[in-house]
Amino acid sequence: MGRWTEERVLQAAPDQASIAAAQKLARPGPWSETGSNDVLVWGKCQGSGKTPYQVSIDLAAPAYRCSCPSRKFPCKHALALLLMWARGEAAEVRGQAADFAEEWAATRAGRAERSAARGRGEPGQQADPAAQAKRLAARLELMDAGMDDFARWLTDLARTGLAAARTQPYAWWDATAARLVDAQLPGLADQVRAMGAAVHGRADWADHLLLRAGRWWAVTRAWAMREGLSPEELADLRALLGWGTASADIQGTESLPGPWLVLGAHRSDEGRLLEQRTWLRGPDGTVVVVLDVAPQGQALAVPQLAGALLDVAVARYPGSAPRRAMFAGAVRPLGLAPDLGPGTTVAEAFAAEAAAVGLSPWRDRHPVLLAGVRVVPPAEGERGGWVADSSGDALPLADAPLASLLALSGGHPVDMFGELEEGRVRPLSLAVGGVVVTP
Amino acid sequence: MTWFEDLRTTALVGTARSAPPAVPAELGVRPPEGPAPEELLLGEAALADAASRASRRPGSPASAAPDPAPDDDGPQAAGEAARLLDLLLSQPPVSQGLQVRLVADWLRLAGQAGQRVPHRLLPALLDLASASEDVAGQLAPALGTRGRWLRAALGLGDGGMATPAEPPSEDWAELSPAAATAELERLRATDPAASRELLRAHWDGLGARERAAHLAAFTVNLGPEDEPLLEAALDDGAKGVRTTAAGLLDRLPGSARAARMAQRLEPLLSVKGVLRRRLEIALPPAPDAAALRDGIAPDPRTGEPDRLARLDAIIRGAPLGVWTGAAGGGPPAALALLKGEDRAIAAILATALARRDAEWAPALLAVRPDARLLGVLPAREREAHVLEALRPEARLFDLVTLLRALPVPWGQPVADAVLGLIATEKGAPLAAMLADVLPAALPPDAVDRCRHLLEKSDGDAARRRVLRDVVQYHSFRLSLQQSFRQSLTEAFR
């Protein structure tokens, strides 16, 4: 395990306050018995109490342990220790790990063993096929009933009109969402809940609701004919409904070897959940997305640096391209790529999106790698800004840091990776002067 | 109306009141027979959803892409220096006041080292600069080509860093009144005589408001050569022009008007008392025609005339030498005789400030700790005068205003005296009121004393915070200096 950069340490922090606290702690004063080996970093930090806090970090997972009472995760002590280690100011390599770190690592290893055993279905954790089939039948029955109910709600909506729906209180949308959650359709529930806010928040609410209602209707039709769908189509539908696939089921499938180039990553706050999307491109040009989610207040997995080449195999979830994937092992950075590879024009990007919509009408986010685009600030009174390719075709920007894009590109044509969403692009990385940078 | 617009209309009112439109033939989709209208509508909405997402077209922005930035004009700050700026901008480990000072220091050091801000840090830096003049003032030259380009691209203006605009080629008389005044001010700064001639040549053709506004531009680089024009303006038909001219003549103690004012002031002053000598000031008589011309207020239509205001006008117009003449001594002697005459002293102080009279300023400072007087003194003399005022019994507010007017960093004697006051039992309020200036004001040699004061147990949290800020600021600035020294040695290796 290589030494982390300081940037990587900071990205592991749960919030800004932790970073500030860790910066202050990252000095030799309160620390003793620090050390590191291939997988562990450890040390003791004298806090306000009598006994120093024992801090251990497993770099591979990564996982953090500290005897302090903080509910932040990782806590400021772990971050501070990592910062000093990253700067080479503490935690030199030692042969023998401190007892408390060794002990913790052993416990973790034991736990991992047990969970792996569960995954393999070894004796003691034997799944009962009959019980499983029964559970599945019960779930499908619940979902069928929920879909019927949702279809009825949609036809009511169409009959009484969208203008009437807009006068409904937020609780009306929320109640529908709650019924969908009860029917094990959390993915649809999230969309309905979001619509409750969108009908009041968006200027184009009527078109948005009309088109989305059409898509929801198509979901209920597709569900009704699910027996006739291909495995990929069914998998896309399942993903939309929020019917998760257990990662253990994916781990068993054939994985694709690396090296994988990190095209870009985006963190978003999806209400109660933090979501991190990492877009990767394989040696054969396959593009996948790795999803990490964490509840509010907890840390997501350490983000991968855009432009990094990762020596790791990925296992893919079923569905149409670009497929969701997960790392099939420990991620080893191989270095940084000088650019993102060949990109497309704006028109080609739209054509690719149209083709993807043809395969899976549910998905509303598509990866695009644009070649030689220039950043165009918004005209007077406009918002957002644009990127324009060499033929003058332009794409509006979505929640993009315009000043940062301009500063990095200097108005020169650059290759840009981003996510296409509702006809706008959210830039996630740029290739500038032989390096890939994040706006 | 298109199909989609029809669809939206039906959807808004509901299928109970309006039937969904027929799907246009060119979409190549035949809707199923028989479903209820609401199902038909939802089906058409699903079609519209897929069709609209599969048929997006590139847009064309209303604005043009900015011309690409020219090549960078210097090496980018790298390594530790870049890391420290990033830290200061994104996660400052210090208070906001220190952040601003340290970023300004970074910019200055980078400018001296011939290095520029890394491109990726420019947006955060410009954000900070828009909120802080200290940072904005240090942007050049470390901002670099890319930074200047970015400001223009973002419409932030060039912040006065571009070369000044060429003088307008058209005839000055053709300019709008505001532009003409601005042009006159610009010319006034570089060539007072030319601007005077310009105004004199056009004087008769200008409106009253323009004459007053243009004349006010003479505040810059006012000199005795301007007197004839100002003297003539005292006869102007417009009151605004006369007032402006009188105000400018107040600042020329060698003028004929000043001599006339002296003749009005001298008879009013008389030394009285034997044991306790004092200067008595009589009120001026009603103004004659000449006094009215010189700008002394006439009797109001109703009520009593404000004779004290007339006296003020005379004091401000007369040379200060009248006072020393009447007192028979220098400015300190004159002020000693005026003890208790607050209004007269205030008028004298205003006069000395307007004329930037360095002879009167020290004497006035001794009786009135007005920080503006420091600005009149040569830089090297200011500290000595402040040092005299730094006494434990001095009023806190006066001390703070004086200290704030001193250029930073302070000399060692002032720093020692201030720290001495801060260390006293009642020093905490002084520390708190100087919190924002102390870090940069105390010279490096004073920092050790701050450290000692910090180590002494002190229950006053505010004082501790101020002292800690000073120590933190200096240690961070040391890191900045080292980081740039490092990068220089690396560059030469």
Side-chain angles (χ1 to χ4, degrees), chain B residues 149-225:
Chain B
W149 175 87
L150 183 62
R151 288 176 72 114
L154 291 174
L156 295 173
D158 54 30
M161 288 193 298
T163 46
E166 289 296 303
S169 55
E170 7 16 337
D171 190 4
W172 179 78
E174 303 288 309
L175 294 174
S176 72
T181 307
E183 172 59 13
L184 211 53
E185 279 169 355
R186 194 191 64 76
L187 197 56
R188 194 69 210 173
T190 50
D191 189 351
S195 75
R196 187 171 55 244
E197 286 320 305
L198 187 62
L199 184 58
R200 202 201 297 274
H202 292 91
W203 185 259
D204 293 333
L206 294 170
R209 195 169 297 181
E210 286 170 84
R211 288 200 304 275
H214 293 343
L215 201 58
F218 280 45
T219 316
V220 180
N221 282 334
L222 185 69
E225 315 76 45

Side-chain angles (χ1 to χ4, degrees), chain A residues 153 157 160-173 196 199-200:
Chain A
W153 182 81
L157 177 72
T160 52
L162 307 184
R166 198 183 187 218
T167 63
Q168 297 283 2
Y170 185 77
W172 183 72
W173 302 93
V199 289
H200 294 292

